[in-house]
Amino acid sequence: MSIEARLAELGVTLPDAPAPAANYVPYVVAGNLVHVSGQISQNEAGLIKGKLGADLSVEEGAEAAKRCAISLLAQLKKACDGDLSRLKRVVKLVGFVNSTADFVDQPKVINGASDFMVAALGDAGRHARSAVSAASLPFGVAVEIEAIFELA
């Protein structure tokens, strides 16, 4: 089954790849690797803001992380000139969680992105990962995630 068909089964339509918010490029293709810049939590209504451990639940954070993963795939699609079938695998995700000093469930939050990648991509979605806390993130968003993808 194609990636686009899996996404449709999950009820997900990839948005246009978000434009960078500063002086950087959204992705860099180096050999067969695509390095995608950090994607911040946002949905159709706008930015998903808040601090885990104060404003948002783990479940809300996981949904924010899933939205980051959707943006990562949108950037990958753009990097592949619209052809997601070129994806061989997700190599690594690095997730940053805007959280209080005593919040310890960063892995559960970033699971929202990891679980989505596996649901959308099957075994090609399994990846190495880091999940870390941040005192704040750009624009006050809840989550930011960057990724490395391998192309066939």
Side-chain angles (χ1 to χ4, degrees):
M1 178 181 299
S2 75
I3 294 171
E4 300 279 358
R6 277 196 186 133
L7 290 170
E9 278 188 354
L10 295 171
V12 173
T13 302
L14 293 181
D16 291 336
N23 188 17
Y24 63 91
V25 295
Y27 58 83
V28 171
V29 179
N32 65 339
L33 297 178
V34 180
H35 297 257
V36 179
S37 296
Q39 300 297 295
I40 58 176
S41 53
Q42 58 186 329
N43 58 24
E44 299 79 13
L47 298 177
I48 302 169
K49 296 181 177 184
K51 189 172 284 288
L52 279 290
D55 309 316
L56 300 171
S57 69
V58 169
E59 293 76 21
E60 290 169 317
E63 179 61 25
K66 176 183 173 184
R67 298 304 305 195
C68 292
I70 291 169
S71 291
L72 288 165
L73 289 182
Q75 293 291 1
L76 175 67
K77 184 175 180 179
K78 187 173 181 181
C80 292
D81 297 320
D83 184 9
L84 283 175
S85 70
R86 294 180 58 200
L87 176 66
K88 183 173 180 180
R89 71 168 304 141
V90 181
V91 176
K92 185 170 185 179
L93 298 181
V94 180
F96 303 92
V97 180
N98 183 356
S99 60
T100 60
D102 61 344
F103 185 79
V104 296
D105 287 329
Q106 292 83 2
K108 290 179 182 177
V109 170
I110 301 304
N111 280 347
S114 294
D115 293 346
F116 175 76
M117 289 296 190
V118 173
L121 306 173
D123 281 341
R126 297 193 184 285
H127 53 271
R129 186 183 89 176
S130 298
V132 298
S133 181
S136 67
L137 289 173
F139 312 111
V141 297
V143 179
E144 180 176 355
I145 303 176
E146 63 182 58
I148 302 170
F149 298 96
E150 182 182 12
L151 302 179

